[in-house]
Amino acid sequence: MDQKPKSSTRRGSGRVTLADVAARAGVGAITVSRALKNPQQVSEKLRVRIDRAVRELGYIPNQAARALASSETKIISVIFPSLSNAVFADLLDGIHDCLQPAGYRTMLANSHYSEGEEEELIEMMLAQNPDGIIITGIDQSEQTHQRLKRAGVPIVQTMELGDNPLDMNVGISHLAAGRAMTDYLFEQGYRHIGFIGARMDKRSQRRLRGYREAMLERGQDPDRYVLTSLSNTSFQLGADLMTQLVARHGEIDALFFSNDDLAAGAIFECQRRGIQVPRQLAICGFNDLEFASAIAPSLTTVSIPRYDMGRTTAQCLLDRLQGRQGPRQIDVGFSICRRESTL
Amino acid sequence: MDQKPKSSTRRGSGRVTLADVAARAGVGAITVSRALKNPQQVSEKLRVRIDRAVRELGYIPNQAARALASSETKIISVIFPSLSNAVFADLLDGIHDCLQPAGYRTMLANSHYSEGEEEELIEMMLAQNPDGIIITGIDQSEQTHQRLKRAGVPIVQTMELGDNPLDMNVGISHLAAGRAMTDYLFEQGYRHIGFIGARMDKRSQRRLRGYREAMLERGQDPDRYVLTSLSNTSFQLGADLMTQLVARHGEIDALFFSNDDLAAGAIFECQRRGIQVPRQLAICGFNDLEFASAIAPSLTTVSIPRYDMGRTTAQCLLDRLQGRQGPRQIDVGFSICRRESTL
DNA sequence: CTGTTAGCGCATTCAG
DNA sequence: CTGAATGCGCTAACAG
C-alpha cells in the first residue's frame, strides 16, 4: 500500500535519491553511499544488490548534496582572459584532459583581459566552493590575493612565472623569452630589429621588456623601433603595423612580433607586396601556433608547450588535492623555433 | 558568554554563513537571504544593516547549499567534441558571454569526438543538476536522448540543424552548405571538382553529402574525386591529401576542403610548389577562420557566425529558463565568402 | 562490514 | 515586511 516511501514532500526534485536506492536494495543509505565511493568497503553481496538497484532506478547522485555534506565539490575553477585565443584553448584542453579522468569538473570563466571582471569572477567562483582554482598570470591586485588566500583553496597561477607565487605557479618567463628571441636575431646578423605588439597584456609587456633589455645590452636604442597597439591582435593589424613601422624606419631588417598572428599577417602582406622574407625583412613571432610551421616561408617563433603546460597546471592541483607535496613553481620552458622567416 | 552561537560543530567549512550575518545584523537568516536576492522585499533600514554585516564578515554564499535548498544551480553544462578547435572556442566564447552576465556559470566538458565519452560526460553533468545543457550536433544515441529527456532540463543542440530536435536546436545545415559551395564552384566554371576531408565527424560527413548531391545533380561521379582521412585535421594533412588526390587525377581544377585548415595547408603547399591558385587549381574551405581572409591568395570559404551562434544558443536556454517561449529551432545561416582562391 | 544519528547552509512554506 | 520551523540529499562520526 505504501508505494511512496517518501513521507512529507513539500518539495523535492522528484529525482531518485540515495534513500530510494537503499530501500530498494534493502540496506541503509550510508551503505549505498560507500558502495559508490569505496566499493571495497562493502561486501560483495551487498555491492551487487546495490549496483543493481542503482541501475534499475537510474540513480544519479546529487552533487550539491554531496558538496554540502562533505565540503568537496570536485570543481576546479578556471579563469582565463580570453577563450577564443588559441593559446588559451590549448591550455584549457590540457587542463581538462588532466582533470576529467580524475573526476574533477571544470568551471570556466572569461575575464576579457579585464582586472575588474577578473575580481568579480573570482568572487563568483569562490561561491561555488571550488576544490581548486586556476588563474592566468601573476598580476592580480593585492585585494584579490588576500581574497584568494583567505579562501584556503589550492591555486595555480599559470602561463607565466613570477617571483611571489600566490600558491603554486606554472609557466614560462616571458621576459626571458623576449630576450632570447632578440638575442637570436642578433646572432643571425640582424642589426636593426624592431618590435611590434598588440593588446599588450602583461605577458606581451614582459616580452617587450625582454626585447628592450637585449637591445640595451647591445648598445641599441630600445625604443626607436618599437610599435605597439592596444587593439586586439589580428592578422590585418600585423600587416598594418608592419607597414607603418617600416615606412618610418626603412633600415629595419628584422621584426619581432609579440605573437604569431601579427607575424603571419605581416608575412602575408609581404607576399602581396613582393617583399622578400627573410632576405629583405626577417620576421618572427611568438607561441608557435600550428600555422607557424605551415606558412611559406615558415615562421620563426618562440615555442611554448601550451597543452603540456595545461596538464602540468592541473596536475599540480591534483597532487595537492591528493595530499602529495610537489614543487611550488614549475618552469615548463620555451624554445626558439628557427624557421625560414629568419634564415 | 556564548560568543559562539554555533553549537555542536563536528564539521563545517569554517566559512561565514548566512546565520552569522543574520546574527551580526540582528535579523533572521531568511531576511538576509531575501536582502541578497530580492532587495526590494526588505525594508531600507534592514537592508543597510545587512549589507554592512555582509561586507564586514566577508560573507560569500554557499552555492551548494543554495542549490540543494532551491534545486537551482545556475550551472549550464556545455559538452563539446573539441576545445582546441577554433570553431568551438568561438562558440564557447559566445555562450559564455551570454551566460555570465545573466548569472549562470559554465561547466565545460570535452568528449574528444567520442560518443562513448559523451555519454559518460552527460552522466557526470547530470549529477551536477545543471539548469541547462548545451551539446554539439544532433547525433546522440537513442539511449542518451532518453537520459536527457528524463532529466527534464532544457537542452540546446548546437552547431547543426536536425529534423528531430531533442528540445531546442540552433545551427546551420551542413548539408546545404556543402551543396551551396559545390554549386558555387560549378557556377565559377570548374568542372572537375574534388572534395578533401579529415576527421570526418558527422558535420564533415554532411558537408560531403552536400557535395555528392550537387555532383549527382550535374551528372558527375560523386565519388571519383573524393579523398578523406580519419586523421585529425592539420595544415600538413591538407597539403598531403591534396598532393595525393591531384597526383591521381590531374584533371582536377577545384578542391573543396572540409575545413579551412586543410585548405590553407593546401594553399601553402601550392605556394611552395609554384602551383598557381586559382588559375591552375581553385581551393576553398569551410568555417571562415580569421586567417582565411588574410592569407595570399585569400581563401574562399563558407562563413558561419560562430560567436553569434554561441550567443543564440545560450539565449535560447535563458529564454526558456526565464519562462519565455522561443522558437524550437533557429537557423543562424551561412554564406559563401568569395575570395581570391576561386576567382 | 553495516547502521544510526545528526547536521552541512540555505530557501521554502506558512504564520505573524 | 519579517520570522520560525523544516527539509533538500548526502556523508562524517561514532557505535555495533
Side-chain angles (χ1 to χ4, degrees):
Chain A
M1 271 291 117
D2 64 81
Q3 294 285 71
K4 294 201 150 74
K6 320 278 316 229
S7 56
S8 73
T9 188
R10 259 182 310 164
R11 295 174 279 169
S13 56
R15 261 179 30 180
V16 178
T17 76
L18 201 58
D20 297 334
V21 176
R24 174 86 164 217
V27 301
I30 187 66
T31 307
V32 177
S33 173
R34 284 197 274 252
L36 294 176
K37 284 197 103 80
N38 293 45
Q40 72 278 19
Q41 277 186 32
V42 174
S43 68
E44 175 78 23
K45 210 174 68 182
L46 287 189
R47 210 186 320 153
V48 173
R49 275 208 338 246
I50 290 170
D51 283 352
R52 205 162 53 94
V54 165
R55 237 171 306 110
E56 287 173 356
L57 296 175
Y59 170 67
I60 299 183
N62 180 326
Q63 289 298 333
R66 179 175 288 182
L68 189 55
S70 70
S71 37
E72 269 212 353
T73 54
K74 296 286 184 179
I75 290 177
I76 305 294
S77 297
V78 177
I79 301 179
F80 280 166
S82 161
L83 303 183
S84 45
N85 185 328
V87 170
F88 292 107
D90 290 343
L91 197 63
L92 180 59
D93 209 14
I95 289 172
H96 183 275
D97 282 357
C98 184
L99 292 180
Q100 178 69 45
Y104 285 85
R105 285 167 272 296
T106 307
M107 186 152 270
L108 185 65
N110 181 351
S111 70
H112 302 96
Y113 288 100
S114 146
E115 274 197 25
E117 269 194 69
E118 185 178 70
E119 288 191 22
E120 279 178 45
L121 288 173
I122 286 174
E123 206 72 4
M124 197 169 170
M125 289 307 200
L126 286 180
Q128 288 288 346
N129 262 318
D131 288 349
I133 297 180
I134 295 172
I135 54 179
T136 307
I138 54 178
D139 297 287
Q140 294 76 32
S141 70
E142 185 51 36
Q143 190 195 348
T144 301
H145 270 219
Q146 294 314 319
R147 197 64 155 162
L148 286 171
K149 280 193 170 157
R150 258 187 300 146
V153 171
I155 299 167
V156 186
Q157 291 167 298
T158 192
M159 272 305 288
E160 183 175 18
L161 256 26
D163 289 334
N164 248 316
L166 198 45
D167 181 6
M168 293 174 285
N169 185 202
V170 174
I172 67 163
S173 163
H174 290 255
L175 189 141
R179 290 181 67 124
M181 180 56 98
T182 311
D183 285 342
Y184 162 74
L185 290 172
F186 267 109
E187 284 159 21
Q188 288 294 96
Y190 300 105
R191 286 298 169 264
H192 301 284
I193 302 172
F195 182 98
I196 287 178
R199 204 185 343 82
M200 298 316 288
D201 59 275
K202 297 291 181 177
R203 284 161 296 286
S204 299
Q205 288 174 30
R206 293 200 176 89
R207 292 171 202 164
L208 170 54
R209 229 174 76 210
Y211 158 88
R212 296 175 77 255
E213 290 184 5
M215 291 291 276
L216 272 173
E217 261 174 27
R218 310 266 177 167
Q220 308 280 318
D221 185 330
D223 297 314
R224 182 189 190 90
Y225 298 138
V226 170
L227 180 58
T228 63
S229 161
L230 293 175
S231 307
N232 270 320
T233 282
S234 72
F235 291 89
Q236 188 55 51
L237 185 61
D240 294 345
L241 293 175
M242 171 193 76
T243 303
Q244 277 180 50
L245 190 59
V246 168
R248 203 182 302 162
H249 303 287
E251 71 274 24
I252 287 180
D253 54 5
L255 281 175
F256 177 14
F257 289 83
S258 71
N259 63 51
D260 286 349
D261 305 70
L262 294 172
I267 284 187
F268 299 141
E269 182 68 12
C270 288
Q271 286 176 1
R272 289 181 204 281
R273 301 201 346 220
I275 299 174
Q276 301 282 325
V277 176
R279 183 154 345 174
Q280 295 174 257
L281 182 65
I283 285 179
C284 63
F286 203 105
N287 285 331
D288 193 24
L289 299 188
E290 203 208 335
F291 63 73
S293 57
I295 63 180
S298 58
L299 178 67
T300 293
T301 187
V302 176
S303 173
I304 62 183
R306 295 183 294 282
Y307 179 83
D308 285 335
M309 191 191 302
R311 292 198 70 106
T312 304
T313 297
Q315 192 58 53
C316 274
L317 229 36
L318 290 182
D319 284 349
R320 174 75 67 79
L321 290 171
Q322 290 159 11
R324 272 163 293 175
Q325 188 62 359
R328 279 174 64 81
Q329 197 164 44
I330 297 178
D331 187 342
V332 296
F334 61 84
S335 61
I336 307 280
C337 279
R338 306 166 180 218
R339 299 215 181 89
E340 297 161 357
S341 67
T342 60
L343 273 189
Chain B
M1 275 290 116
D2 64 83
Q3 294 285 71
K4 295 202 147 81
K6 320 274 321 234
S7 56
S8 74
T9 186
R10 257 182 311 162
R11 294 176 279 170
S13 56
R15 260 180 29 180
V16 177
T17 76
L18 202 57
D20 297 334
V21 177
R24 174 86 164 218
V27 300
I30 187 60
T31 306
V32 177
S33 173
R34 282 198 274 252
L36 294 176
K37 284 198 102 79
N38 294 47
Q40 71 277 19
Q41 276 184 33
V42 173
S43 68
E44 175 77 25
K45 211 175 67 182
L46 287 189
R47 210 186 322 153
V48 173
R49 278 213 329 252
I50 290 170
D51 282 352
R52 205 162 53 96
V54 164
R55 237 171 306 110
E56 287 173 357
L57 295 175
Y59 169 67
I60 299 183
N62 179 325
Q63 290 298 333
R66 181 175 286 183
L68 188 55
S70 70
S71 37
E72 269 210 356
T73 54
K74 295 284 186 182
I75 289 176
I76 305 294
S77 297
V78 177
I79 301 178
F80 281 166
S82 161
L83 302 182
S84 46
N85 184 329
V87 170
F88 292 108
D90 289 343
L91 198 63
L92 180 60
D93 209 15
I95 289 171
H96 183 275
D97 282 357
C98 184
L99 292 180
Q100 177 70 43
Y104 284 86
R105 285 167 275 294
T106 307
M107 186 151 268
L108 186 65
N110 181 351
S111 69
H112 302 95
Y113 289 102
S114 146
E115 275 198 24
E117 269 196 68
E118 184 178 71
E119 287 190 22
E120 278 176 46
L121 289 172
I122 286 174
E123 205 74 3
M124 196 169 171
M125 288 306 200
L126 287 179
Q128 288 289 346
N129 261 319
D131 288 349
I133 297 179
I134 295 173
I135 54 178
T136 307
I138 54 176
D139 297 287
Q140 294 76 29
S141 71
E142 184 52 36
Q143 190 196 348
T144 302
H145 270 219
Q146 294 314 318
R147 197 67 155 161
L148 286 171
K149 281 193 169 159
R150 259 188 298 147
V153 172
I155 299 166
V156 185
Q157 290 167 296
T158 192
M159 272 305 288
E160 182 174 20
L161 258 24
D163 288 335
N164 250 316
L166 198 45
D167 181 4
M168 293 174 283
N169 186 202
V170 174
I172 66 162
S173 164
H174 290 254
L175 189 141
R179 290 182 67 124
M181 181 56 98
T182 311
D183 284 343
Y184 161 74
L185 291 173
F186 266 110
E187 284 158 20
Q188 289 293 96
Y190 299 105
R191 285 297 167 266
H192 302 283
I193 303 171
F195 181 97
I196 286 178
R199 203 182 348 80
M200 298 316 287
D201 60 276
K202 298 289 182 178
R203 285 160 296 286
S204 298
Q205 288 175 29
R206 292 198 177 91
R207 292 171 202 164
L208 171 53
R209 228 173 77 209
Y211 159 88
R212 297 175 78 255
E213 288 184 7
M215 291 292 275
L216 272 172
E217 261 174 25
R218 311 266 176 166
Q220 308 280 318
D221 185 331
D223 296 314
R224 182 188 192 93
Y225 298 139
V226 171
L227 180 58
T228 63
S229 161
L230 293 176
S231 307
N232 270 320
T233 283
S234 72
F235 289 89
Q236 188 56 50
L237 185 60
D240 293 347
L241 293 175
M242 172 194 76
T243 302
Q244 277 181 49
L245 190 60
V246 167
R248 201 181 304 160
H249 304 287
E251 71 274 25
I252 287 179
D253 53 5
L255 281 175
F256 177 12
F257 289 82
S258 71
N259 63 52
D260 286 350
D261 305 68
L262 294 172
I267 285 187
F268 299 141
E269 182 67 12
C270 288
Q271 287 176 1
R272 290 182 203 279
R273 302 205 341 224
I275 300 175
Q276 300 283 324
V277 176
R279 185 154 343 174
Q280 294 174 258
L281 182 65
I283 285 179
C284 63
F286 203 105
N287 285 331
D288 194 24
L289 299 189
E290 202 209 337
F291 63 72
S293 57
I295 63 179
S298 59
L299 179 65
T300 293
T301 186
V302 176
S303 173
I304 62 183
R306 294 182 295 281
Y307 179 83
D308 285 335
M309 192 190 302
R311 291 199 72 105
T312 304
T313 297
Q315 193 58 53
C316 274
L317 228 38
L318 290 182
D319 283 350
R320 174 75 66 81
L321 290 171
Q322 291 160 8
R324 273 162 292 173
Q325 187 61 359
R328 278 175 65 81
Q329 197 164 44
I330 297 179
D331 187 343
V332 296
F334 60 86
S335 63
I336 307 280
C337 279
R338 305 167 179 219
R339 300 214 181 91
E340 296 161 0
S341 68
T342 60
L343 273 188

mmCIF file with all atom_site columns, all heavy atoms in Angstrom, chain B residues 252-266:
data_model
loop_
_atom_site.group_PDB
_atom_site.id
_atom_site.type_symbol
_atom_site.label_atom_id
_atom_site.label_alt_id
_atom_site.label_comp_id
_atom_site.label_asym_id
_atom_site.label_entity_id
_atom_site.label_seq_id
_atom_site.pdbx_PDB_ins_code
_atom_site.Cartn_x
_atom_site.Cartn_y
_atom_site.Cartn_z
_atom_site.occupancy
_atom_site.B_iso_or_equiv
_atom_site.pdbx_formal_charge
_atom_site.auth_seq_id
_atom_site.auth_comp_id
_atom_site.auth_asym_id
_atom_site.auth_atom_id
_atom_site.pdbx_PDB_model_num
ATOM 1   N N   . ILE B 1 252 ? 41.714 17.509 -62.139 1.00 0.00 ? 252 ILE B N   1
ATOM 2   C CA  . ILE B 1 252 ? 41.002 18.281 -61.113 1.00 0.00 ? 252 ILE B CA  1
ATOM 3   C C   . ILE B 1 252 ? 41.346 19.762 -61.222 1.00 0.00 ? 252 ILE B C   1
ATOM 4   O O   . ILE B 1 252 ? 42.513 20.133 -61.295 1.00 0.00 ? 252 ILE B O   1
ATOM 5   C CB  . ILE B 1 252 ? 41.351 17.750 -59.706 1.00 0.00 ? 252 ILE B CB  1
ATOM 6   C CG1 . ILE B 1 252 ? 40.662 16.409 -59.484 1.00 0.00 ? 252 ILE B CG1 1
ATOM 7   C CG2 . ILE B 1 252 ? 40.936 18.757 -58.626 1.00 0.00 ? 252 ILE B CG2 1
ATOM 8   C CD1 . ILE B 1 252 ? 40.945 15.775 -58.133 1.00 0.00 ? 252 ILE B CD1 1
ATOM 9   N N   . ASP B 1 253 ? 40.320 20.606 -61.237 1.00 0.00 ? 253 ASP B N   1
ATOM 10  C CA  . ASP B 1 253 ? 40.589 22.034 -61.348 1.00 0.00 ? 253 ASP B CA  1
ATOM 11  C C   . ASP B 1 253 ? 40.109 22.830 -60.127 1.00 0.00 ? 253 ASP B C   1
ATOM 12  O O   . ASP B 1 253 ? 40.349 24.028 -60.025 1.00 0.00 ? 253 ASP B O   1
ATOM 13  C CB  . ASP B 1 253 ? 39.971 22.621 -62.618 1.00 0.00 ? 253 ASP B CB  1
ATOM 14  C CG  . ASP B 1 253 ? 38.487 22.303 -62.758 1.00 0.00 ? 253 ASP B CG  1
ATOM 15  O OD1 . ASP B 1 253 ? 37.910 21.713 -61.821 1.00 0.00 ? 253 ASP B OD1 1
ATOM 16  O OD2 . ASP B 1 253 ? 37.911 22.634 -63.805 1.00 0.00 ? 253 ASP B OD2 1
ATOM 17  N N   . ALA B 1 254 ? 39.420 22.151 -59.216 1.00 0.00 ? 254 ALA B N   1
ATOM 18  C CA  . ALA B 1 254 ? 38.988 22.842 -57.991 1.00 0.00 ? 254 ALA B CA  1
ATOM 19  C C   . ALA B 1 254 ? 38.898 21.838 -56.851 1.00 0.00 ? 254 ALA B C   1
ATOM 20  O O   . ALA B 1 254 ? 38.527 20.675 -57.062 1.00 0.00 ? 254 ALA B O   1
ATOM 21  C CB  . ALA B 1 254 ? 37.629 23.506 -58.203 1.00 0.00 ? 254 ALA B CB  1
ATOM 22  N N   . LEU B 1 255 ? 39.225 22.290 -55.661 1.00 0.00 ? 255 LEU B N   1
ATOM 23  C CA  . LEU B 1 255 ? 39.157 21.415 -54.490 1.00 0.00 ? 255 LEU B CA  1
ATOM 24  C C   . LEU B 1 255 ? 38.357 22.081 -53.375 1.00 0.00 ? 255 LEU B C   1
ATOM 25  O O   . LEU B 1 255 ? 38.634 23.225 -52.998 1.00 0.00 ? 255 LEU B O   1
ATOM 26  C CB  . LEU B 1 255 ? 40.560 21.089 -53.969 1.00 0.00 ? 255 LEU B CB  1
ATOM 27  C CG  . LEU B 1 255 ? 41.334 20.026 -54.732 1.00 0.00 ? 255 LEU B CG  1
ATOM 28  C CD1 . LEU B 1 255 ? 42.747 19.907 -54.163 1.00 0.00 ? 255 LEU B CD1 1
ATOM 29  C CD2 . LEU B 1 255 ? 40.629 18.664 -54.676 1.00 0.00 ? 255 LEU B CD2 1
ATOM 30  N N   . PHE B 1 256 ? 37.411 21.337 -52.884 1.00 0.00 ? 256 PHE B N   1
ATOM 31  C CA  . PHE B 1 256 ? 36.589 21.783 -51.762 1.00 0.00 ? 256 PHE B CA  1
ATOM 32  C C   . PHE B 1 256 ? 37.079 21.011 -50.538 1.00 0.00 ? 256 PHE B C   1
ATOM 33  O O   . PHE B 1 256 ? 36.962 19.790 -50.482 1.00 0.00 ? 256 PHE B O   1
ATOM 34  C CB  . PHE B 1 256 ? 35.126 21.470 -52.084 1.00 0.00 ? 256 PHE B CB  1
ATOM 35  C CG  . PHE B 1 256 ? 34.130 21.798 -50.998 1.00 0.00 ? 256 PHE B CG  1
ATOM 36  C CD1 . PHE B 1 256 ? 34.463 22.571 -49.884 1.00 0.00 ? 256 PHE B CD1 1
ATOM 37  C CD2 . PHE B 1 256 ? 32.822 21.344 -51.108 1.00 0.00 ? 256 PHE B CD2 1
ATOM 38  C CE1 . PHE B 1 256 ? 33.523 22.863 -48.906 1.00 0.00 ? 256 PHE B CE1 1
ATOM 39  C CE2 . PHE B 1 256 ? 31.866 21.625 -50.126 1.00 0.00 ? 256 PHE B CE2 1
ATOM 40  C CZ  . PHE B 1 256 ? 32.231 22.379 -49.023 1.00 0.00 ? 256 PHE B CZ  1
ATOM 41  N N   . PHE B 1 257 ? 37.655 21.732 -49.573 1.00 0.00 ? 257 PHE B N   1
ATOM 42  C CA  . PHE B 1 257 ? 38.163 21.097 -48.354 1.00 0.00 ? 257 PHE B CA  1
ATOM 43  C C   . PHE B 1 257 ? 37.122 21.201 -47.250 1.00 0.00 ? 257 PHE B C   1
ATOM 44  O O   . PHE B 1 257 ? 36.418 22.206 -47.157 1.00 0.00 ? 257 PHE B O   1
ATOM 45  C CB  . PHE B 1 257 ? 39.458 21.770 -47.892 1.00 0.00 ? 257 PHE B CB  1
ATOM 46  C CG  . PHE B 1 257 ? 40.626 21.472 -48.781 1.00 0.00 ? 257 PHE B CG  1
ATOM 47  C CD1 . PHE B 1 257 ? 40.818 22.197 -49.945 1.00 0.00 ? 257 PHE B CD1 1
ATOM 48  C CD2 . PHE B 1 257 ? 41.526 20.471 -48.456 1.00 0.00 ? 257 PHE B CD2 1
ATOM 49  C CE1 . PHE B 1 257 ? 41.901 21.934 -50.772 1.00 0.00 ? 257 PHE B CE1 1
ATOM 50  C CE2 . PHE B 1 257 ? 42.615 20.196 -49.272 1.00 0.00 ? 257 PHE B CE2 1
ATOM 51  C CZ  . PHE B 1 257 ? 42.799 20.924 -50.440 1.00 0.00 ? 257 PHE B CZ  1
ATOM 52  N N   . SER B 1 258 ? 37.067 20.198 -46.408 1.00 0.00 ? 258 SER B N   1
ATOM 53  C CA  . SER B 1 258 ? 36.014 20.186 -45.391 1.00 0.00 ? 258 SER B CA  1
ATOM 54  C C   . SER B 1 258 ? 36.259 21.220 -44.288 1.00 0.00 ? 258 SER B C   1
ATOM 55  O O   . SER B 1 258 ? 35.381 21.446 -43.468 1.00 0.00 ? 258 SER B O   1
ATOM 56  C CB  . SER B 1 258 ? 35.848 18.799 -44.786 1.00 0.00 ? 258 SER B CB  1
ATOM 57  O OG  . SER B 1 258 ? 36.941 18.470 -43.959 1.00 0.00 ? 258 SER B OG  1
ATOM 58  N N   . ASN B 1 259 ? 37.439 21.821 -44.263 1.00 0.00 ? 259 ASN B N   1
ATOM 59  C CA  . ASN B 1 259 ? 37.632 22.960 -43.353 1.00 0.00 ? 259 ASN B CA  1
ATOM 60  C C   . ASN B 1 259 ? 38.799 23.836 -43.809 1.00 0.00 ? 259 ASN B C   1
ATOM 61  O O   . ASN B 1 259 ? 39.575 23.454 -44.686 1.00 0.00 ? 259 ASN B O   1
ATOM 62  C CB  . ASN B 1 259 ? 37.811 22.497 -41.911 1.00 0.00 ? 259 ASN B CB  1
ATOM 63  C CG  . ASN B 1 259 ? 39.051 21.650 -41.728 1.00 0.00 ? 259 ASN B CG  1
ATOM 64  O OD1 . ASN B 1 259 ? 40.139 22.041 -42.124 1.00 0.00 ? 259 ASN B OD1 1
ATOM 65  N ND2 . ASN B 1 259 ? 38.875 20.478 -41.151 1.00 0.00 ? 259 ASN B ND2 1
ATOM 66  N N   . ASP B 1 260 ? 38.896 24.989 -43.208 1.00 0.00 ? 260 ASP B N   1
ATOM 67  C CA  . ASP B 1 260 ? 39.883 25.983 -43.640 1.00 0.00 ? 260 ASP B CA  1
ATOM 68  C C   . ASP B 1 260 ? 41.315 25.551 -43.383 1.00 0.00 ? 260 ASP B C   1
ATOM 69  O O   . ASP B 1 260 ? 42.223 25.927 -44.130 1.00 0.00 ? 260 ASP B O   1
ATOM 70  C CB  . ASP B 1 260 ? 39.657 27.311 -42.904 1.00 0.00 ? 260 ASP B CB  1
ATOM 71  C CG  . ASP B 1 260 ? 38.430 28.042 -43.427 1.00 0.00 ? 260 ASP B CG  1
ATOM 72  O OD1 . ASP B 1 260 ? 37.881 27.621 -44.465 1.00 0.00 ? 260 ASP B OD1 1
ATOM 73  O OD2 . ASP B 1 260 ? 38.021 29.029 -42.788 1.00 0.00 ? 260 ASP B OD2 1
ATOM 74  N N   . ASP B 1 261 ? 41.528 24.793 -42.329 1.00 0.00 ? 261 ASP B N   1
ATOM 75  C CA  . ASP B 1 261 ? 42.899 24.404 -42.006 1.00 0.00 ? 261 ASP B CA  1
ATOM 76  C C   . ASP B 1 261 ? 43.484 23.545 -43.133 1.00 0.00 ? 261 ASP B C   1
ATOM 77  O O   . ASP B 1 261 ? 44.608 23.781 -43.589 1.00 0.00 ? 261 ASP B O   1
ATOM 78  C CB  . ASP B 1 261 ? 42.921 23.625 -40.687 1.00 0.00 ? 261 ASP B CB  1
ATOM 79  C CG  . ASP B 1 261 ? 42.263 24.406 -39.566 1.00 0.00 ? 261 ASP B CG  1
ATOM 80  O OD1 . ASP B 1 261 ? 41.025 24.595 -39.617 1.00 0.00 ? 261 ASP B OD1 1
ATOM 81  O OD2 . ASP B 1 261 ? 42.974 24.848 -38.665 1.00 0.00 ? 261 ASP B OD2 1
ATOM 82  N N   . LEU B 1 262 ? 42.700 22.577 -43.541 1.00 0.00 ? 262 LEU B N   1
ATOM 83  C CA  . LEU B 1 262 ? 43.152 21.742 -44.659 1.00 0.00 ? 262 LEU B CA  1
ATOM 84  C C   . LEU B 1 262 ? 43.378 22.596 -45.900 1.00 0.00 ? 262 LEU B C   1
ATOM 85  O O   . LEU B 1 262 ? 44.393 22.457 -46.595 1.00 0.00 ? 262 LEU B O   1
ATOM 86  C CB  . LEU B 1 262 ? 42.087 20.681 -44.976 1.00 0.00 ? 262 LEU B CB  1
ATOM 87  C CG  . LEU B 1 262 ? 41.832 19.621 -43.909 1.00 0.00 ? 262 LEU B CG  1
ATOM 88  C CD1 . LEU B 1 262 ? 40.619 18.774 -44.299 1.00 0.00 ? 262 LEU B CD1 1
ATOM 89  C CD2 . LEU B 1 262 ? 43.061 18.731 -43.734 1.00 0.00 ? 262 LEU B CD2 1
ATOM 90  N N   . ALA B 1 263 ? 42.428 23.462 -46.188 1.00 0.00 ? 263 ALA B N   1
ATOM 91  C CA  . ALA B 1 263 ? 42.513 24.283 -47.398 1.00 0.00 ? 263 ALA B CA  1
ATOM 92  C C   . ALA B 1 263 ? 43.745 25.178 -47.362 1.00 0.00 ? 263 ALA B C   1
ATOM 93  O O   . ALA B 1 263 ? 44.463 25.311 -48.359 1.00 0.00 ? 263 ALA B O   1
ATOM 94  C CB  . ALA B 1 263 ? 41.245 25.119 -47.541 1.00 0.00 ? 263 ALA B CB  1
ATOM 95  N N   . ALA B 1 264 ? 43.991 25.781 -46.207 1.00 0.00 ? 264 ALA B N   1
ATOM 96  C CA  . ALA B 1 264 ? 45.145 26.675 -46.101 1.00 0.00 ? 264 ALA B CA  1
ATOM 97  C C   . ALA B 1 264 ? 46.434 25.877 -46.262 1.00 0.00 ? 264 ALA B C   1
ATOM 98  O O   . ALA B 1 264 ? 47.376 26.325 -46.935 1.00 0.00 ? 264 ALA B O   1
ATOM 99  C CB  . ALA B 1 264 ? 45.133 27.396 -44.764 1.00 0.00 ? 264 ALA B CB  1
ATOM 100 N N   . GLY B 1 265 ? 46.472 24.695 -45.671 1.00 0.00 ? 265 GLY B N   1
ATOM 101 C CA  . GLY B 1 265 ? 47.650 23.851 -45.837 1.00 0.00 ? 265 GLY B CA  1
ATOM 102 C C   . GLY B 1 265 ? 47.912 23.592 -47.316 1.00 0.00 ? 265 GLY B C   1
ATOM 103 O O   . GLY B 1 265 ? 49.051 23.616 -47.777 1.00 0.00 ? 265 GLY B O   1
ATOM 104 N N   . ALA B 1 266 ? 46.838 23.378 -48.054 1.00 0.00 ? 266 ALA B N   1
ATOM 105 C CA  . ALA B 1 266 ? 46.971 23.129 -49.489 1.00 0.00 ? 266 ALA B CA  1
ATOM 106 C C   . ALA B 1 266 ? 47.481 24.383 -50.208 1.00 0.00 ? 266 ALA B C   1
ATOM 107 O O   . ALA B 1 266 ? 48.350 24.309 -51.083 1.00 0.00 ? 266 ALA B O   1
ATOM 108 C CB  . ALA B 1 266 ? 45.632 22.691 -50.059 1.00 0.00 ? 266 ALA B CB  1
#
